[in-house]
Amino acid sequence: MIKKVLVANRGEIAVRVMRSCREMGITSVAVYSEADRTAMHVRYADEAYFIGPSPSNESYLNVNKIIDVARRSGADAIHPGYGFLSENAAFSERCKKEGIIFIGPSAHAIMTMGDKITARKTMIDAGVPIVPGTEKISNKKKVLELAKGIGYPVMVKASAGGGGKGMRLVNEEKEIMGAIRAAQSEARAAFGDDSIYIEKYIESPHHIEFQILADNFGNTIHLFERECSVQRRHQKVIEETPSPIMKPKLREEMGNFAVAAAKAVNYSGAGTIEFIVDDKLNYYFLEMNTRLQVEHPITERVVGVDLVKEQIKIASGQKLEIKQGDLKQFGHAIECRIYAEDPDNNFMPSPGVIKHITEPLGLGIRHDGYVYEGYEIPMHYDPLISKLIVWAKTRKEAINRMKRALYAYKITGVKTSISFLGRIMECPDFVKGKYNTHFIEKNKEFLMGSKKRDRKMEDVAIIAAFMDYTYKMEQLEARAISGNGLSNWKNCGRRMSVRRI
Ligand code: MV4
């Protein structure tokens, strides 16, 4: 059994992982950069080691420094969290060589799924449906023929890409050569690999992903779906489970394909199979994320499983105790990602010192964060402040609970996305569950509140407050004049004239 875990991450996810370690009686080891000397994960951990300058390349991404801390601290395992080294095949392999347990999948699984062309081939062999498209484009003369066969519009995608990088939409034949050149040079610069392929463009898709768990004895289960279609520039904003568009038969089919996808790479640990689903409920494998994801808590809440605990148990060589047939979804969970950014200024990051924070509390609320009053959010990393997760028996109650929680959540010192998230909870398309990946773009008039819709409400509030104030002042003054003992010190004898409505 694992006794000591080095958490090679920071922020809310480092704290999240350490919480499960503590419950399991496992000692946690933090690593931290210059900017993170006062960070919560350092305070929370049982031990903490400095690993260098603030830029991630010189600290959280420095494999040698992290392996060195694992050695010095005597950690028997490393949890990579999400981002940073979590999907780095070379790091998984290096841990293995050093005799340190990597809490995650093998280098083989990471590599196969990280290369989208190889992943597509692997899915075909496993019988998992993929988006109609090509293999690697090697002969540019054949491109026009291949694209015509698929039918426009098509997408040109980088094999090393994912999360929207190295991707181009092509509406008609005359655009395709330019799109290929653009995608290739973007991919070469970002990944050092300019392999590309072509896929049919799915018009207004849903992004639905399935959580899976696999042990090292051939047992693989899925923990149902998460609906992740509320996103902005390939950044998820809100996730919920169950998906409003899911049906029992579809869920079972997709869940079985998710398990087959994981088995095809001999997967070990927690992973996610992403599907793209069109408006006729046709679904296609898009990619696999070989890590614990940001939005994992909604699955934990509705399915009743601690995914980090399961990751650690699997990595220490235990068999999965959970059977597929034992699992069911109970109620509804929604997660809002709270970012230090300014929704009224094109979501510009807003790093700075947290002056005040009041976190929402009460029935059905989970708050995964790491900031405290006086803490300065560094500009070097992701501006995620926290994740607000609510649970209720029904979707409608969960939305009302999220509204209540967002309203109670106060942060000053930095700009946050809290009010923007509140407007999503009020947006008719979201409330009805009728939304796809174009939701934010489609509803931007409604959601960009403080410039349009909300400004009106704010004005009404300001006018009402002023009327209330002047009314009270007038009463006070009236009392002063009638000689009740109060002097009219505030008005210095000036008479306020107010028209009461
Ligand atoms: C697509 C697509 C439509 N058709 N592929 C975006 C991120 C990357 N993971 C894949 N993405 C997409 N691939 C085909 N063939 C539309 C998207 C897409 C998208 C996917 C999931 C969630 C949000 C998205 C937002 C815009 C585009």
Side-chain angles (χ1 to χ4, degrees):
M1 186 58 200
I2 292 169
K3 288 200 185 66
K4 194 168 191 175
V5 171
L6 185 159
V7 180
N9 215 303
R10 62 176 305 282
E12 68 85 20
I13 195 61
V15 178
R16 159 72 191 90
V17 171
M18 289 174 193
R19 284 185 175 132
S20 283
C21 289
R22 187 146 300 160
E23 288 179 22
M24 296 171 86
I26 293 169
T27 306
S28 53
V29 178
V31 288
Y32 63 96
S33 69
E34 191 63 52
D36 276 341
R37 286 187 182 282
T38 61
M40 185 66 94
H41 73 285
V42 177
R43 297 182 177 190
Y44 191 91
D46 296 300
E47 297 170 20
Y49 293 77
F50 178 69
I51 50 165
S54 305
S56 323
N57 281 328
E58 299 172 65
S59 47
Y60 298 105
L61 289 172
N62 189 317
V63 171
N64 287 329
K65 283 183 182 168
I66 286 171
I67 296 288
D68 177 56
V69 172
R71 286 256 143 300
R72 285 194 283 143
S73 65
D76 32 33
I78 297 180
H79 195 302
Y82 54 68
F84 293 136
L85 296 169
S86 61
E87 296 185 279
N88 186 317
F91 183 64
S92 172
E93 194 59 33
R94 175 74 186 276
C95 289
K96 196 174 160 184
K97 270 217 198 81
E98 301 278 346
I100 302 162
I101 297 169
F102 176 72
I103 303 176
S106 67
H108 168 260
I110 298 174
M111 256 181 327
T112 307
M113 290 304 190
D115 185 86
K116 309 302 171 224
I117 292 168
T118 313
R120 280 166 61 82
K121 267 202 209 108
T122 310
M123 291 307 108
I124 293 171
D125 294 342
V128 177
I130 60 167
V131 184
T134 69
E135 298 190 4
K136 182 177 156 83
I137 298 294
S138 47
N139 181 345
K140 291 211 175 162
K141 284 190 192 110
K142 279 200 196 141
V143 165
L144 296 183
E145 210 177 303
L146 286 167
K148 195 173 271 172
I150 295 166
Y152 288 92
V154 299
M155 292 206 95
V156 174
K157 292 188 177 184
S159 189
K165 265 184 242 143
M167 214 171 73
R168 286 288 183 288
L169 172 60
V170 181
N171 283 300
E172 47 187 21
E173 190 167 276
K174 69 177 192 326
E175 298 167 359
I176 197 162
M177 288 309 178
I180 289 172
R181 258 191 301 277
Q184 270 184 324
S185 65
E186 195 176 312
R188 205 179 305 124
F191 318 111
D193 172 4
D194 64 2
S195 309
I196 53 147
Y197 62 105
I198 298 173
E199 270 183 4
K200 170 121 197 89
Y201 178 61
I202 309 296
E203 212 70 51
S204 295
H206 278 254
H207 170 142
I208 296 182
E209 57 187 33
F210 274 71
Q211 177 68 51
I212 66 100
L213 277 175
D215 68 15
N216 300 312
F217 305 92
N219 303 302
T220 306
I221 58 172
H222 72 82
L223 295 90
F224 310 106
E225 82 280 8
R226 293 185 287 259
E227 169 72 65
C228 304
S229 298
V230 181
Q231 55 78 46
R232 197 190 147 268
R233 300 198 182 159
H234 306 300
Q235 173 100 276
K236 290 166 191 164
V237 176
I238 290 175
E239 304 93 355
E240 63 175 317
T241 185
S243 165
I245 66 160
M246 192 51 72
K247 292 176 169 55
K249 194 173 153 287
L250 183 66
R251 178 177 290 124
E252 194 182 325
E253 269 178 40
M254 292 176 74
N256 289 339
F257 281 127
V259 167
K263 280 180 182 276
V265 289
N266 237 320
Y267 201 79
S268 165
T272 299
I273 311 293
E274 278 185 28
F275 292 95
I276 194 165
V277 183
D278 70 16
D279 42 16
K280 294 187 184 72
L281 301 184
N282 297 309
Y283 55 89
Y284 312 95
F285 168 90
L286 203 56
E287 47 195 73
M288 179 172 192
N289 299 312
T290 55
R291 60 168 189 277
L292 182 74
Q293 286 192 265
V294 177
E295 59 271 26
H296 75 277
I298 58 172
T299 297
E300 296 190 315
R301 191 61 185 80
V302 161
V303 184
V305 173
D306 179 334
L307 288 168
V308 173
K309 251 180 212 176
E310 294 306 318
Q311 283 187 300
I312 293 172
K313 290 197 296 189
I314 290 164
S316 62
Q318 295 182 31
K319 270 191 184 153
L320 255 182
E321 291 161 321
I322 312 162
K323 301 273 171 286
Q324 188 69 60
D326 299 340
L327 293 179
K328 66 182 195 62
Q329 292 163 297
F330 183 65
H332 199 97
I334 305 175
E335 171 179 282
C336 281
R337 298 190 187 189
I338 318 295
Y339 286 100
E341 61 185 22
D342 183 2
D344 297 329
N345 188 15
N346 201 29
F347 298 88
M348 278 267 283
S350 173
V353 177
I354 302 286
K355 204 169 151 214
H356 172 87
I357 178 164
T358 302
E359 300 175 42
L361 295 168
L363 181 62
I365 290 178
R366 168 175 174 181
H367 185 240
D368 274 25
Y370 77 107
V371 307
Y372 54 85
E373 283 178 9
Y375 175 72
E376 181 171 4
I377 298 176
M379 42 89 85
H380 299 91
Y381 316 107
D382 191 75
L384 185 75
I385 297 174
S386 72
K387 305 181 308 202
L388 181 55
I389 302 108
V390 305
W391 176 89
K393 191 72 190 61
T394 66
R395 183 171 189 270
K396 196 171 166 226
E397 288 173 290
I399 292 173
N400 287 332
R401 185 162 283 166
M402 184 61 88
K403 282 199 255 186
R404 188 260 292 177
L406 288 168
Y407 196 78
Y409 198 172
K410 309 289 182 209
I411 294 180
T412 63
V414 299
K415 297 261 173 45
T416 78
S417 52
I418 293 173
S419 59
F420 178 72
L421 294 161
R423 287 192 290 276
I424 294 181
M425 291 298 130
E426 306 272 3
C427 187
D429 281 354
F430 183 80
V431 173
K432 284 182 271 182
K434 289 204 172 352
Y435 66 86
N436 57 42
T437 47
H438 302 311
F439 169 75
I440 289 180
E441 183 59 26
K442 177 174 177 255
N443 290 286
K444 63 168 183 269
E445 289 287 292
F446 187 95
L447 299 174
M448 286 303 126
S450 71
K451 290 220 176 80
K452 299 211 163 67
R453 189 178 70 100
D454 248 26
R455 178 57 72 205
K456 269 188 223 138
M457 283 311 293
E458 258 170 47
D459 289 348
V460 169
I462 289 164
I463 292 164
F466 180 73
M467 283 167 64
D468 184 58
Y469 171 76
T470 49
Y471 173 72
K472 279 184 185 140
M473 285 311 293
E474 199 177 57
Q475 281 198 321
L476 202 65
E477 195 175 7
R479 262 178 275 147
I481 288 164
S482 64
N484 66 355
L486 287 167
S487 68
N488 61 346
W489 53 272
K490 216 163 186 179
N491 295 308
C492 304
R494 269 182 289 114
R495 186 94 177 85
M496 296 178 83
S497 106
V498 179
R499 201 162 73 87
R500 279 194 214 125
I501 302 167

